[in-house]
Amino acid sequence: LFFTFSHLLIQLMKTSTIWTIVNSTGDGPPKTAKQLEKEAKKLAKLEKFKQKKEKQKDSPAQTKDKVEVKSRECGSDVGNIWIIDLAPGDKKDTSCPMPDSYSPQYVEAAWYSWWEKEGFFTPEYGERNISEQNPKGKFVMVIPPPNVTGSLHLGHALTNAVEDAITRWHRMKGRTVLWNPGCDHAGIATQVVVERKLWREEQKTRHDIGRDKFIEKVWEWRREKGDRIYLQLRKLGSSLDWSRACFTMDPKLTRAVIEAFVRLHEEGYIYRSNRLVNWSCTLKSAISDIEVDKIELPGRTLLSIPSYEEKIEFGVLVSFAYKVEGSDEEIIVATTRVETMLGDTAVAVHPGDTRYKHLHGKFVIHPFCDRKLPIVCDEFVDREFGTGAVKITPAHDPNDYEVGYGKFSGMKRFLARKAVLEALKEKGFYRDTTNNPMVVPICSRSKDVMRPSAMEVVRNGELRIIPEHHKKTWFHWMEKYKRLVRISPAWWGHRIPAYFVTINDSSIQRAMMETDNEYWVSGRTKEEALEKASKKFGVPASKIILKQDDDVLDTWFSSGLFPFSIFGWPEETKDLKAFYPGTLLETGHDILFFWVARMVFFGQTLLKKLPFREVYLHPIVRDAHGRKMSKSLGNVIDPMDVITGISLEDLHKQLIGSNLDPKEIEKAKEGQKQDYPNGIPECGTDALRFALCAYILQGRDINLDILRVQGYRFFCNKLWNATRFKVLESSKALEVLDSYLRDHSYFDGYTPSQADSTVFEACGGSGGGKIFCSEDQVYQHLKRWHRHISSFGKNVRLIGNETALDLWMLSRISAAVEQCNNGFETYDFSVATTACYSYWLYDLCDVYLDT
């Protein structure tokens, strides 16, 4: 609760300390009758004030307006609106009167810009030399760079709540701390946003304007919108070192990408090859596995697919017949995608299947052309699935394309599905359609249906994965998937620094296809690539033609380099020496392989060091019903809406402005109406962050209920009221102290003591004189004492006047501190939040303040 405690802690410390000193003055010289009479009058005044407050408590509550952060020097109540006038970076003055009730906007205003201006978030704060070793240690962590296209969602809020709490805890330990921000260029996502904008404004596609002009458009959009995500991170209170913020398309990081690619290509880690990929027909691009959602269907299901007016049927198995050449026999095959039969090249059966033994080596005839398809044997065929005969569609043979001519040419795939089915029925080859439970891969970006597409360091403990049950996933991915690098035929991103070599020399064999890895060279520049090609093939550069690959590397490549590219690698910079390797990587468990594994691979391969020692994987945020957050369900929550509050009507408006299919908007509205009938209440940043950390139980996903977040907003209100109560009482304490100092030089009589030193520091030291000047009274004797004590040193001697209750309170806060430290050390954040909550609510408020 950094905003709330920043506002309240100093005031509470001042008040508690003043009361301690007031109680301790009983050991000094006895008070005169006049002093006692004056004190009695003050006590009567205070009692009258309390009675007035009790009356107000019984009367109907008045609605307080929200804070408006603009005019006035300190902050004052003008028509029930608390207003503040501070230039960005000015420190907030907390000595002014506190508003009657807790307002998140009032409390959180102005702090962040002051923190940032003072340089609190930089590792150099306090004139530290980052090259020198700090005896208390060092902590380095990089942010999982959010996409430049978007706004924050609750997953980002959880990430930043956890990472900021960890970061501030390490700072409080006195360590040299760097939490490095950055933003990902989000190749496909950004390209889609700009393409839609281009079409909306100019009715043109990227192909209409060409690659170079389209890239210019993307950079324009980036300059206009790209800082939005950083503003939201500031709103969340994330204590990032903004002086080191990086964008994955910055020149520094682009150089690192090129260097990494060339080195890995030279060493054989990267090569050119044909592979099955996840292909989005809508985006016209390959996408990574992490961007594919697996949708389970129980049977026949109609799904809405982008660019199709009618819903498309899935979850069925279509059977049709192939006639055996030279006979009246037929083989019935079953498929979930009947349109792919246009590219069939064979029919496979199990060699042990007695139904088809007499057909081994024979051919079937394609229904729509004269192509003969061999009947082949393969033990991988499941005899129990369908008819036991499987159509083979590798789509690698150039002859496959001949069936594209004619009535099916140029059709969209699902329109072709319908047309092929009708044609099979016309020719008498259709046999049946049956329910078939299946998993449909859906592109998480376009909602289109997809086309199929360092273990040892964890075992030996060099790299620790927390919670440990995620190690099983790590080993599974590492054993199953060997290829990390993927490309994307998009335009926005890091263009692959590889060149296809064509040689104008008849004595040297030319490459038959561009997939031949031997005819590709890489280079940091085209000139370097040309020199490599000349040397490799032994011909003059004048006889070589180079063509650079049009594709770009997917964003996982550049983000995999993030832990060291941000520090200037491959140069041996001061930052690289000081901050690599890092300490911790904190992220969601859903990208363990897709991002974390790449960072480990690149770090070990290119720098011969692990990029971090520990990986903490936080859970996934779901809605209160345990459902995955989905725009179509209407349960996606913008953390900014939780912080400031939003009406149900405005939630509905957000759906209209989204990329959601119009058919899904009404369904989403119903979901919002069910979950947020009165909208989302204003909770504030502190309550949201505290709730997210309190929710974390290792190994479980988070089913977030907004009402629980609101409950922690009420907890913040409890903090506010308890502090305000002590501050109001402190006015009596100031009067008693001022009266005492009228007849005495110091709080222990006539000799400076620890009491003077403690009050002096609690009141802000030499700059704390404002506390002795209220709106209607100036404490002259306290002001005189303050000026005098400012010239004293810090000699301390203990008073020893603590009561049994004071000692109990100290023991409770000591226990809370120990529990918090244990929670942070073990990444068990619910332990830390419970310790804070229980200490303040049950120990401090219910016992200590009420006794």
Side-chain angles (χ1 to χ4, degrees):
L1 304 173
F2 294 110
F3 288 114
T4 301
F5 278 127
S6 295
H7 200 102
L8 300 182
L9 193 57
I10 295 175
Q11 295 191 358
L12 189 67
M13 287 175 63
K14 290 175 185 176
T15 304
S16 300
T17 305
I18 290 169
W19 269 106
T20 300
I21 301 306
V22 169
N23 292 336
S24 75
T25 57
D27 295 332
K31 296 179 182 178
T32 65
K34 193 174 181 181
Q35 289 173 337
L36 292 172
E37 181 186 354
K38 216 174 182 188
E39 278 189 36
K41 287 180 180 179
K42 298 297 180 185
L43 286 170
K45 237 183 184 182
L46 182 63
E47 185 61 31
K48 193 175 179 182
F49 174 79
K50 286 181 180 177
Q51 289 173 2
K52 184 180 177 183
K53 297 303 290 184
E54 287 297 322
K55 274 187 181 180
Q56 289 178 353
K57 204 182 283 184
D58 296 333
S59 62
Q62 293 182 353
T63 304
K64 295 289 181 182
D65 296 327
K66 291 183 180 179
V67 65
E68 181 179 319
V69 183
K70 51 183 193 182
S71 60
R72 294 290 187 280
E73 179 185 348
C74 168
S76 56
D77 189 355
V78 179
N80 289 333
I81 298 177
W82 275 88
I83 49 183
I84 301 171
D85 182 17
L86 287 173
D90 286 355
K91 184 178 180 180
K92 197 172 184 178
D93 185 356
T94 58
S95 67
C96 57
M98 296 175 66
D100 292 343
S101 60
Y102 173 74
S103 164
Q105 290 189 56
Y106 171 77
V107 169
E108 294 166 11
W111 282 113
Y112 196 93
S113 61
W114 177 65
W115 291 339
E116 193 175 345
K117 181 183 177 183
E118 292 297 310
F120 293 149
F121 305 156
T122 67
E124 294 90 352
Y125 178 72
E127 299 183 356
R128 279 200 182 108
N129 185 342
I130 60 172
S131 300
E132 294 178 0
Q133 188 172 3
N134 183 344
K136 293 183 178 179
K138 177 175 64 177
F139 177 79
V140 179
M141 178 171 60
V142 299
I143 191 176
N147 287 351
V148 69
T149 53
S151 56
L152 293 180
H153 53 65
L154 281 176
H156 291 121
L158 174 62
T159 298
N160 282 272
V162 170
E163 293 186 8
D164 190 51
I166 293 172
T167 299
R168 291 179 187 260
W169 179 72
H170 280 284
R171 285 199 193 101
M172 291 166 69
K173 293 287 186 180
R175 293 165 185 150
T176 301
V177 173
L178 172 62
W179 183 22
N180 207 112
C183 205
D184 192 279
H185 65 279
I188 295 174
T190 304
Q191 181 164 303
V192 168
V193 169
V194 178
E195 280 189 282
R196 286 174 179 166
K197 182 174 182 287
L198 180 64
W199 181 257
R200 188 169 59 249
E201 295 176 355
E202 302 179 29
Q203 285 73 53
K204 292 181 179 178
T205 68
R206 60 185 165 110
H207 301 284
D208 293 333
I209 65 174
R211 183 173 192 140
D212 291 341
K213 287 189 176 179
F214 179 75
I215 296 301
E216 287 177 14
K217 294 274 187 184
V218 179
W219 276 110
E220 285 176 13
W221 180 91
R222 159 74 176 94
R223 286 187 287 270
E224 182 183 345
K225 303 287 188 181
D227 288 336
R228 176 176 52 182
I229 201 88
Y230 287 166
L231 297 175
Q232 292 176 318
L233 289 173
R234 287 177 166 92
K235 182 71 175 175
L236 278 173
S238 302
S239 57
L240 295 148
D241 180 2
W242 294 107
S243 67
R244 288 180 166 87
C246 291
F247 178 50
T248 50
M249 288 291 285
D250 286 343
K252 179 173 67 174
L253 276 70
T254 298
R255 187 192 170 194
V257 168
I258 294 172
E259 182 68 26
F261 185 95
V262 171
R263 289 192 191 186
L264 294 172
H265 184 247
E266 289 174 346
E267 295 176 25
Y269 288 107
I270 294 177
Y271 54 91
R272 183 81 176 192
S273 178
N274 278 333
R275 287 292 184 270
L276 207 59
V277 297
N278 299 304
W279 181 262
S280 168
C281 296
T282 298
L283 300 176
K284 295 180 175 58
S285 174
I287 69 169
S288 66
D289 293 338
I290 189 62
E291 295 166 316
V292 178
D293 298 327
K294 308 293 185 181
I295 308 297
E296 292 190 15
L297 303 180
R300 183 178 182 273
T301 307
L302 296 177
L303 298 179
S304 296
I305 305 299
S307 77
Y308 290 88
E309 292 184 4
E310 297 181 357
K311 290 188 175 183
I312 307 300
E313 181 183 57
F314 292 90
V316 295
L317 202 61
V318 175
S319 301
F320 66 93
Y322 273 124
K323 287 291 184 182
V324 178
E325 183 188 30
S327 76
D328 293 331
E329 287 190 84
E330 64 183 24
I331 290 184
I332 298 175
V333 295
T335 178
T336 58
R337 296 184 296 147
V338 69
E339 71 278 7
T340 62
M341 62 86 63
L342 298 172
D344 283 358
T345 58
V347 173
V349 297
H350 193 282
D353 194 333
T354 56
R355 293 174 292 178
Y356 303 115
K357 274 197 172 182
H358 67 292
L359 298 177
H360 293 182
K362 293 189 176 183
F363 293 85
V364 295
I365 305 298
H366 199 284
F368 301 138
C369 63
D370 295 332
R371 183 194 305 162
K372 294 196 298 183
L373 312 180
I375 301 171
V376 299
C377 296
D378 195 322
E379 291 184 352
F380 285 99
V381 175
D382 182 357
R383 284 179 279 191
E384 305 301 322
F385 180 77
T387 62
V390 179
K391 55 191 286 300
I392 304 299
T393 318
H396 288 166
D397 189 333
N399 293 327
D400 290 346
Y401 294 106
E402 71 179 63
V403 297
Y405 300 121
K407 62 187 295 184
F408 307 112
S409 179
M411 281 188 179
K412 291 182 179 180
R413 56 190 165 145
F414 295 127
L415 296 180
R417 173 177 297 184
K418 190 174 181 180
V420 167
L421 195 58
E422 291 299 322
L424 287 171
K425 289 178 179 178
E426 287 175 13
K427 290 180 174 289
F429 292 108
Y430 170 77
R431 294 295 177 266
D432 195 14
T433 297
T434 58
N435 271 348
N436 178 51
M438 62 184 295
V439 175
V440 177
I442 301 291
C443 173
S444 64
R445 298 186 182 280
S446 66
K447 303 307 175 188
D448 195 5
V449 174
M450 301 304 305
R451 301 297 297 268
S453 159
M455 295 192 292
E456 190 57 31
V457 290
V458 174
R459 284 201 178 103
N460 64 26
E462 288 182 62
L463 179 64
R464 184 178 171 218
I465 296 178
I466 308 161
E468 289 208 348
H469 64 262
H470 289 301
K471 288 165 67 173
K472 182 179 179 181
T473 307
W474 177 268
F475 294 136
H476 168 75
W477 282 109
M478 286 298 181
E479 288 168 352
K480 186 176 180 181
Y481 295 95
K482 305 299 181 185
R483 297 184 301 275
L484 291 175
V485 177
R486 288 178 179 265
I487 63 171
S488 172
W491 288 355
W492 171 245
H494 298 102
R495 191 172 178 182
I496 296 172
Y499 302 81
F500 181 69
V501 179
T502 301
I503 304 170
N504 290 326
D505 190 327
S506 57
S507 64
I508 297 178
Q509 183 180 353
R510 290 192 176 194
M512 295 297 295
M513 298 179 68
E514 287 192 5
T515 53
D516 191 339
N517 189 54
E518 290 303 309
Y519 286 83
W520 285 87
V521 294
S522 59
R524 295 162 185 84
T525 62
K526 189 173 183 178
E527 290 72 25
E528 181 184 339
L530 186 62
E531 185 180 338
K532 281 185 179 180
S534 176
K535 185 177 180 181
K536 180 177 182 177
F537 294 101
V539 296
S542 58
K543 292 187 176 184
I544 294 175
I545 300 172
L546 296 182
K547 178 190 174 186
Q548 186 174 358
D549 197 321
D550 287 328
D551 295 337
V552 298
L553 289 161
D554 76 355
T555 54
W556 295 113
F557 189 92
S558 54
S559 60
L561 305 172
F562 200 71
F564 49 90
S565 63
I566 58 176
F567 299 132
W569 182 86
E571 298 295 327
E572 284 290 328
T573 64
K574 184 179 179 181
D575 273 7
L576 185 65
K577 292 176 182 177
F579 301 125
Y580 188 88
T583 310
L584 173 72
L585 188 280
E586 194 280 339
T587 189
H589 65 72
D590 52 333
I591 55 174
L592 174 62
F593 176 74
F594 305 103
W595 186 40
V596 181
R598 281 170 169 78
M599 288 187 284
V600 170
F601 168 74
F602 289 143
Q604 286 185 301
T605 304
L606 298 170
L607 285 89
K608 312 305 179 187
K609 295 177 184 177
L610 285 170
F612 27 74
R613 299 192 302 271
E614 292 183 323
V615 177
Y616 173 71
L617 302 168
H618 65 242
I620 302 301
V621 181
R622 300 181 180 274
D623 71 7
H625 312 291
R627 301 174 302 179
K628 186 177 180 181
M629 297 289 188
S630 167
K631 288 181 180 178
S632 62
L633 292 175
N635 61 357
V636 173
I637 303 172
D638 185 335
M640 298 300 114
D641 293 338
V642 181
I643 291 171
T644 61
I646 188 172
S647 67
L648 179 62
E649 183 183 359
D650 287 336
L651 282 172
H652 288 345
K653 288 178 182 177
Q654 290 180 351
L655 293 174
I656 296 171
S658 69
N659 293 324
L660 200 60
D661 190 307
K663 300 172 187 176
E664 300 289 342
I665 288 181
E666 289 306 315
K667 177 184 174 183
K669 283 184 177 180
E670 284 302 313
Q672 289 180 337
K673 190 176 180 180
Q674 180 183 348
D675 287 346
Y676 319 114
N678 300 313
I680 297 175
E682 178 194 26
C683 297
T685 300
D686 281 335
L688 174 61
R689 288 165 47 124
F690 197 86
L692 289 170
C693 288
Y695 258 115
I696 296 177
L697 295 173
Q698 292 189 6
R700 299 183 187 176
D701 284 350
I702 293 174
N703 295 346
L704 184 71
D705 188 344
I706 290 298
L707 292 180
R708 184 170 174 185
V709 182
Q710 188 181 24
Y712 287 115
R713 192 257 192 229
F714 297 149
F715 173 56
C716 291
N717 191 62
K718 183 77 172 178
L719 301 180
W720 182 268
N721 288 338
T723 305
R724 188 168 179 273
F725 170 73
K726 292 300 292 183
V727 169
L728 286 173
E729 284 193 334
S730 71
S731 61
K732 173 182 177 292
L734 290 174
E735 290 173 5
V736 172
L737 291 175
D738 192 63
S739 176
Y740 181 80
L741 288 172
R742 183 181 61 183
D743 301 315
H744 303 88
S745 301
Y746 307 101
F747 287 122
D748 214 16
Y750 300 96
T751 306
S753 69
Q754 171 67 16
D756 297 283
S757 177
T758 305
V759 174
F760 181 76
E761 291 301 323
C763 294
S766 58
K770 285 185 179 180
I771 192 173
F772 307 127
C773 302
S774 67
E775 291 180 351
D776 57 356
Q777 186 173 4
V778 176
Y779 300 97
Q780 296 289 352
H781 304 294
L782 274 169
K783 284 188 68 178
R784 181 263 306 161
W785 165 85
H786 184 267
R787 286 195 301 269
H788 176 64
I789 212 73
S790 295
S791 62
F792 278 54
K794 294 187 177 181
N795 295 324
V796 174
R797 64 183 179 87
L798 296 175
I799 299 176
N801 68 319
E802 295 84 0
T803 65
L805 185 61
D806 293 334
L807 294 174
W808 174 83
M809 191 68 250
L810 290 172
S811 74
R812 298 312 303 144
I813 194 169
S814 178
V817 168
E818 183 178 2
Q819 290 167 14
C820 283
N821 279 326
N822 290 339
F824 278 107
E825 286 166 0
T826 59
Y827 302 106
D828 197 344
F829 301 102
S830 63
V831 168
T833 55
T834 300
C836 291
Y837 188 88
S838 299
Y839 160 73
W840 191 282
L841 207 60
Y842 305 129
D843 296 336
L844 182 65
C845 293
D846 287 357
V847 178
Y848 190 68
L849 295 184
D850 286 347
T851 301

